[in-house]
Amino acid sequence: MLIPTFPTQSKRTKAVKMLKATHAQESREASEAKAAEVADSLESMKLSEVAKGVREGCAETLAYTDFPMQHRARIGMNNAIERLNRESAAELASSARSPTGNLR
């Protein structure tokens, strides 16, 4: 999905909040219903391309909801940059605990 350009910052902020609300639902059915509601709201804000992306990508982005709730927190991201950031943060945290304070 292409990242659209928003005409104003306030529309972007509203759209982001609505999309986050989609993923905050308890069940997949509730998330899908919320996504349809969000897409309708985006169309009313004259953001039809974004609404189209929400409708087309809804099933893919909600795939994690097929897993039980206790497993969702452990589902890893497949983003190499995020993984490297986590590893470097862990390395810095461990070096802060070492007696010399030097990196290994």
Side-chain angles (χ1 to χ4, degrees):
M1 179 170 91
L2 295 173
I3 298 175
T5 56
F6 291 89
T8 63
Q9 179 68 29
S10 64
K11 282 189 178 183
R12 179 175 186 247
T13 303
K14 286 179 187 177
V16 168
K17 286 181 182 179
M18 287 190 287
L19 291 171
K20 285 183 180 181
T22 300
H23 293 278
Q25 303 300 312
E26 291 290 324
S27 67
R28 184 181 185 109
E29 294 79 20
S31 294
E32 288 173 346
K34 186 67 173 178
E37 181 183 317
V38 166
D40 292 339
S41 296
L42 290 169
E43 282 184 348
S44 70
M45 293 170 58
K46 298 186 179 11
L47 296 171
S48 58
E49 287 185 32
V50 180
K52 180 182 174 188
V54 169
R55 285 193 175 96
E56 290 176 356
C58 177
E60 184 178 343
T61 60
L62 295 176
Y64 71 93
T65 60
D66 292 336
F67 294 95
M69 186 69 83
Q70 62 270 22
H71 294 284
R72 292 181 193 172
R74 301 193 76 186
I75 296 174
M77 296 292 292
N78 197 17
N79 188 337
I81 295 173
E82 289 181 12
R83 182 180 56 80
L84 289 172
N85 287 339
R86 283 193 308 271
E87 288 176 2
S88 64
E91 181 69 27
L92 287 172
S94 69
S95 68
R97 290 188 299 261
S98 71
T100 60
N102 296 330
L103 292 176
R104 292 182 220 154

